[in-house]
Amino acid sequence: MSRWVALDWGTSSLRAALLDADGTVLDHHEAPQGILHVSAGGYPKVFASTVERWSLPRGTLCLASGMVGSRQGWREAPYAPCPAGPSDLAARLAWIDDAPGGLRVGIVPGVSTDTGGLPDVLRGEEVQVLGALALLGREDGTFVLPGTHSKWVDVRGGRLAAFSTFMTGEVYGLLRRHSILARTMPEDDGPLDEAAFLQGVQHARRAQGLLHGAFSARTLALFDWLAADAAPSYLSGLVIGEELRACDLANTGLDPVVVGNPALTRRYQLGLSAYGLHAVVPPGEPAWSGLHHIARALESTQ
Amino acid sequence: MSRWVALDWGTSSLRAALLDADGTVLDHHEAPQGILHVSAGGYPKVFASTVERWSLPRGTLCLASGMVGSRQGWREAPYAPCPAGPSDLAARLAWIDDAPGGLRVGIVPGVSTDTGGLPDVLRGEEVQVLGALALLGREDGTFVLPGTHSKWVDVRGGRLAAFSTFMTGEVYGLLRRHSILARTMPEDDGPLDEAAFLQGVQHARRAQGLLHGAFSARTLALFDWLAADAAPSYLSGLVIGEELRACDLANTGLDPVVVGNPALTRRYQLGLSAYGLHAVVPPGEPAWSGLHHIARALESTQ
């Protein structure tokens, strides 16, 4: 395997990297060309204009992960069931026919799981988890990927064993902007008030669930026990705290690995500290590392 | 006490009744003149035009409950702390100075409670609970008032002892209309699909909280395991089921009394049946009965 291309192609943005056989990043490009901004037939053109800067020879491997593999993406890559590791995903790549420039473009499948008769899915996070595993030199652990829909992934023997989705970021946004709670909050979130955030986490820990707990953001404001400026941080603590409560952290045994942007990672570090847990943060770029391990697994089978 | 007037003056509507000393309803009037539709100085005029049909003598007692006593209402009636029964509320009525026609207009206070350092409030439901108690000839019990913000009230010795608010109706509306779950649902809710509703209740019972459970409305649709027409009922079961789960119903000991509109009452009857509980539904009109008991308590102190 010589030079190859990794693409992290999500809902809002497209990131691409040129890597060598060892996984070292040689060049990197980012554009606001997520699948929300690409028309149904527009993927080959966006792809070609992204990689043309690297003058790749025909047959060069390009691996793409994220929502580009969803029903609304370039080509649907059906979910791989758990347990799913690099080899499982490599075996289920969805290959693009007639890709621009004769390149060999494979799309990484999302992963599905089934808990108590109910399915759950993720797409894009599987690569982040595999990358974080490699960057940390681990084979096992609990991985948290916070966001609009947070994912908690149980990893065993280098493969995703099971996971759960939490609609944390989305529900925070709905409560923050569209519920009665918005009436006593300022327009802007402002900087994180860590004390108010932790107060929310602690309350969520002992509350009767979020439907009850969230109302305290209103009553505390009503009695002037919570400053308006601190209310968004308090509510964030309540909602993230509900996620942490639901995860039954006392029984995980391992300090969770948090893979997210710095601002969200900070909130989960704080929240986990309230449970006496230390958040492990992987060094480097999990997406490129994860795609590199899938590329290596692919190579080893060929 | 001769003829008197009871007013249930909420956010969206105003209901008024003329009653005799025994609490028998002699006449009744309803209009879409809730406090959202009344300007700041407009209360005396709306009140006068509502009661003028009854040609009341000066000094006639008029008791009003609901959001009319909030900061945005006619006059703020500060919350009475728990425990709160008819005498406690009668002692804290907020009287209107110079009411139209020389009538004696008192506004019933809402009730506040404090659980684990966090305040909770209700306003209007206290009258419903006291009325339901009287209609059922009870002194104790667990009372559920479903709605935008559901209230679970613990009643002991004829007084509200403690309560909890759940943002159930509001969160259902946000998830139903504004979240990613809306994408796989039809525009109209349609009739309740009782099987799908109960499936939601059962899932909520074993789920890791609502943030996780709600996502199943998406994944079940994604795998075609849930028909689009049944999805609103399933989600309603998930959200109401989360409220029931959080209430720790195994320990209440009593079958809850449900005070709500027929459609919501039916959903709570179904949901409680999944926990092996029978929903008790009071006969008659709890609001008039509740105000009648406050009026009697007021009379007995004069």
Side-chain angles (χ1 to χ4, degrees), chain B residues 118-254:
Chain B
L118 287 165
D120 205 338
V121 295
L122 52 74
R123 192 180 283 283
E125 291 91 351
E126 70 292 335
V127 163
Q128 306 269 347
V129 168
L130 295 178
L133 269 181
L135 291 169
L136 293 164
R138 285 200 184 189
E139 288 282 301
D140 304 279
T142 298
F143 289 71
V144 191
L145 297 97
T148 305
H149 297 160
S150 294
K151 308 289 180 179
W152 281 70
V153 185
D154 181 23
V155 176
R156 291 179 206 167
R159 300 161 90 193
L160 284 71
F163 60 87
S164 294
T165 300
F166 295 82
M167 294 177 68
T168 308
E170 183 163 16
V171 168
Y172 171 75
L174 291 172
L175 292 173
R176 165 75 181 91
R177 295 287 166 196
H178 301 291
S179 80
I180 193 175
L181 308 181
R183 293 191 205 168
T184 45
M185 292 194 195
E187 184 59 30
D188 295 320
D189 273 17
L192 181 68
D193 181 326
E194 297 196 349
F197 177 85
L198 279 168
Q199 195 190 344
V201 171
Q202 293 291 11
H203 177 218
R205 191 170 180 179
R206 28 173 224 271
Q208 300 165 279
L210 184 63
L211 292 176
H212 172 55
F215 197 64
S216 69
R218 175 159 178 77
T219 52
L220 287 171
L222 212 57
F223 288 95
D224 295 325
W225 293 3
L226 177 68
D229 284 350
S233 296
Y234 175 73
L235 179 63
S236 176
L238 276 178
V239 182
I240 289 175
E242 164 71 5
E243 179 186 323
L244 299 177
R245 182 195 65 72
C247 282
D248 204 8
L249 291 169
N251 302 321
T252 58
L254 273 177

Side-chain angles (χ1 to χ4, degrees), chain B residues 5-9 14-17 47 50-51 62-65 288 291:
Chain B
V5 172
L7 298 109
D8 174 18
W9 203 337
L14 162 61
R15 298 192 310 144
F47 170 76
T50 301
V51 301
C62 303
L63 287 187
S65 65
W288 305 152
L291 287 166

Side-chain angles (χ1 to χ4, degrees), chain B residues 75-90:
Chain B
R75 186 177 154 196
E76 185 172 3
Y79 296 103
C82 281
S87 303
D88 309 290
L89 299 176

Side-chain angles (χ1 to χ4, degrees), chain A residues 44-55:
Chain A
K45 198 167 164 187
V46 172
F47 170 77
S49 72
T50 300
V51 300
E52 71 180 358
R53 74 200 68 227
W54 296 319
S55 308

Side-chain angles (χ1 to χ4, degrees), chain A residues 155-179:
Chain A
V155 176
R156 291 181 205 164
R159 300 161 91 194
L160 284 70
F163 59 86
S164 294
T165 300
F166 294 82
M167 294 178 68
T168 309
E170 183 164 15
V171 168
Y172 171 75
L174 291 172
L175 292 173
R176 165 75 179 91
R177 294 288 167 196
H178 301 291
S179 80

